[in-house]
Amino acid sequence: MRLHRPVLRATVPALVVAGVAMAAWAAWLGWDQGYDVRGDGAVSGPYQVWQVAGLAGTLLAAVCAAAARGHSAAAVGGTTVGLTLAAYADWSDDASGLFIVGVGLVMVGGFVGSAVVSAVIDTLRRERPLTR
């Protein structure tokens, strides 16, 4: 069976963005599983602010790049799917089952964040078309 170009044009960018999202999760968050206990007994973590900011910056670059090339739907879908799968894989060993709430929040946040960024890029593209 032969894939048609329109299918590839829609699928490949989404898969690339999803791969970037999963790799970014692994690079920025996937290695840090320990909580920090301060001297006063307060617990924080497992992620530090710089790790989440690094993930957000990486995803911002990927979404902007895809949307600027006219692949806004792929940017939104790929980011949402990639982050959701990465969060599920990372947190699914939680015996309480509450991890699914966090995964759902990551899914909603990834969707909303990438949709807003893609909408801004789309608006800018319409106002100032890219020259090639």
Side-chain angles (χ1 to χ4, degrees), residues 1-131:
M1 180 179 197
R2 200 171 144 206
L3 288 176
H4 299 286
R5 279 184 198 249
V7 172
L8 289 176
R9 282 197 179 129
T11 305
V12 171
L15 291 174
V16 168
V17 174
V20 168
M22 289 186 287
W25 181 284
W28 289 105
L29 305 180
W31 54 271
D32 192 357
Q33 302 297 319
Y35 287 87
D36 300 320
V37 181
R38 296 189 196 121
D40 63 355
V43 178
S44 68
Y47 311 124
Q48 303 297 321
V49 172
W50 64 269
Q51 291 173 282
V52 177
L55 174 63
T58 304
L59 295 174
L60 179 65
V63 170
C64 286
R69 289 169 176 76
H71 301 293
S72 292
V76 174
T79 301
T80 304
V81 169
L83 283 178
T84 303
L85 290 174
Y88 184 86
D90 195 18
W91 298 339
S92 64
D93 61 347
D94 175 34
S96 72
L98 288 176
F99 75 94
I100 202 68
V101 174
V103 171
L105 292 172
V106 166
M107 181 178 68
V108 170
F111 176 79
V112 170
S114 59
V116 168
V117 170
S118 292
V120 169
I121 297 297
D122 280 346
T123 302
L124 293 174
R125 282 184 64 229
R126 277 189 225 109
E127 290 178 5
R128 259 186 277 161
L130 296 174
T131 56

